[in-house]
Amino acid sequence: MIGSRAEDFPVQRGTPEMEALRQYVTANDATRYDHQAQGTLRLDVTHSNLVQRWHDIVFDEDMSIGQVKQKLYRHGGTPSQHQELYLRRGGSDTIFLMDEQKTLRYYGAKNGMEIHIKDLDPHSISLHGGLEDVSQVEKYIMEDEAYDKLENTVRAQKKREKAKAEAERAERIARGEEPEVPEEPEEDLDEVAKNFPIDSRCEVEPGSRRGAVAYVGKVKGMKGVWIGVRLDEPQGMNDGCGKDGTKYFDCPGPKYGCFAKSANVQVGDFPERDPFASDDEF
């Protein structure tokens, strides 16, 4: 078992540049504890339920294990009675700090070692990512209509910048400094839906990706009419959802969906490719 300290890791000699970088990073390792107060220890602390690691927590050598638990309660949130402490002294040398009356000095704690907290509470708030996994936190979601009414937002600032840029461009066009480029007319939704029936087989560019038409219409946050394609293989960018998470069509899994403009979709006889067929058969 490899320990957590730098000296416990194997040294792999690489290029002169990597060796120089290693020497630079570890230059002060030998003297980092020289100006430390006498009788104190700087130890790393880890927790069984947490990914985070606390570096160089200061302890007194004569602190009892019971006092250490009380101090660690303020870091990891685990009450003293639900803690089991282990001292990792390097490599595979790990000991159980069993006696709460004994001190860190008694167990041979030295600078740079690690105390590991094992949380025994089956209802611990830190269990299963309770203190670190932000996906478990219910988030407030504001409707777009309400967000658009706010003035001090990134979206409002971008709108102001876009309006300013369009006004400046219009002035340049009026002065003859910039040619006017006509905007492409928006496609007619009914016409596109007629030319790209739902469930019709198709091929999408780029990549000649094959699949079936699953949606024709508007997509929130994107201009124009879009064709949603359910791909035969995971070669897309979504699973039938738009950027805001709105579901437009079902897919068998992630990356089996994509949205494309009509110019990049061709409807026709495009059967699923046989992954075991030779190139000569295509």
Side-chain angles (χ1 to χ4, degrees):
M1 173 182 173
I2 297 177
S4 57
R5 299 181 301 171
E7 56 265 32
D8 297 326
F9 287 89
V11 178
Q12 295 185 4
R13 304 296 177 184
T15 64
E17 292 80 4
M18 290 302 297
E19 183 61 25
L21 177 61
R22 178 184 177 86
Q23 292 177 3
Y24 173 77
V25 171
T26 61
N28 298 323
D29 282 6
T31 59
R32 62 188 297 247
Y33 303 119
D34 286 357
H35 303 290
Q36 184 173 310
Q38 186 175 3
T40 59
L41 297 170
R42 285 155 62 184
L43 307 175
D44 288 0
V45 177
T46 57
H47 194 286
S48 60
N49 293 345
L50 302 174
V51 175
Q52 60 185 288
R53 178 190 189 94
W54 301 289
H55 185 58
D56 272 4
I57 303 298
V58 178
F59 298 88
D60 191 287
E61 282 184 315
D62 294 319
M63 287 181 69
S64 68
I65 302 307
Q67 292 173 323
V68 171
K69 288 183 177 182
Q70 292 175 12
K71 180 168 183 172
L72 293 178
Y73 166 63
R74 298 194 293 271
H75 287 276
T78 303
S80 301
Q81 65 270 24
H82 293 302
Q83 292 183 34
E84 269 188 4
L85 300 186
Y86 296 85
L87 181 64
R88 293 173 174 171
R89 303 192 292 191
S92 59
D93 185 8
T94 300
I95 58 174
F96 175 33
L97 306 182
M98 179 176 61
D99 191 340
E100 292 194 359
Q101 306 304 318
K102 295 292 193 297
T103 64
L104 289 173
R105 186 198 300 270
Y106 172 84
Y107 284 107
K110 301 294 182 184
N111 284 323
M113 291 184 179
E114 175 191 319
I115 292 179
H116 179 71
I117 308 168
K118 183 178 180 181
D119 192 334
L120 303 177
D121 184 3
H123 307 292
S124 174
I125 190 174
S126 62
L127 195 63
H128 305 306
L131 293 179
E132 293 180 316
D133 185 1
V134 296
S135 66
Q136 299 182 28
V137 180
E138 185 176 354
K139 299 173 181 62
Y140 171 72
I141 300 177
M142 181 182 291
E143 296 293 334
D144 279 347
E145 293 75 12
Y147 186 70
D148 286 336
K149 295 178 181 178
L150 301 178
E151 296 183 359
N152 190 24
T153 63
V154 174
R155 183 181 298 176
Q157 178 64 22
K158 287 186 174 181
K159 285 183 178 179
R160 288 192 291 268
E161 291 175 355
K162 182 179 179 181
K164 181 180 178 181
E166 290 177 350
E168 291 174 351
R169 180 171 176 271
E171 291 179 2
R172 291 194 298 270
I173 292 174
R175 293 195 299 264
E177 298 175 0
E178 184 178 328
E180 184 174 5
V181 180
E183 294 185 3
E184 294 184 7
E186 187 173 313
E187 294 179 291
D188 181 69
L189 175 57
D190 294 334
E191 187 68 22
V192 176
K194 178 181 177 182
N195 295 332
F196 296 88
I198 299 296
D199 291 332
S200 57
R201 295 291 301 174
C202 65
E203 191 169 78
V204 186
E205 299 295 342
S208 300
R209 297 166 291 171
R210 293 188 178 181
V213 176
Y215 174 80
V216 178
K218 300 280 188 177
V219 177
K220 198 169 186 179
M222 301 165 65
K223 292 183 178 180
V225 179
W226 292 84
I227 300 172
V229 179
R230 184 184 302 108
L231 300 169
D232 298 334
E233 301 177 48
Q235 299 174 322
M237 298 295 290
N238 56 63
D239 59 351
C241 293
K243 294 181 179 180
D244 63 340
T246 302
K247 191 76 170 180
Y248 291 93
F249 57 93
D250 293 325
C251 285
K255 296 189 176 182
Y256 275 89
C258 74
F259 292 100
K261 302 296 283 186
S262 61
N264 296 326
V265 182
Q266 182 179 356
V267 172
D269 184 18
F270 296 106
E272 292 189 39
R273 290 191 174 95
D274 183 356
F276 301 103
S278 65
D279 295 339
D280 297 335
E281 296 182 38
F282 293 107

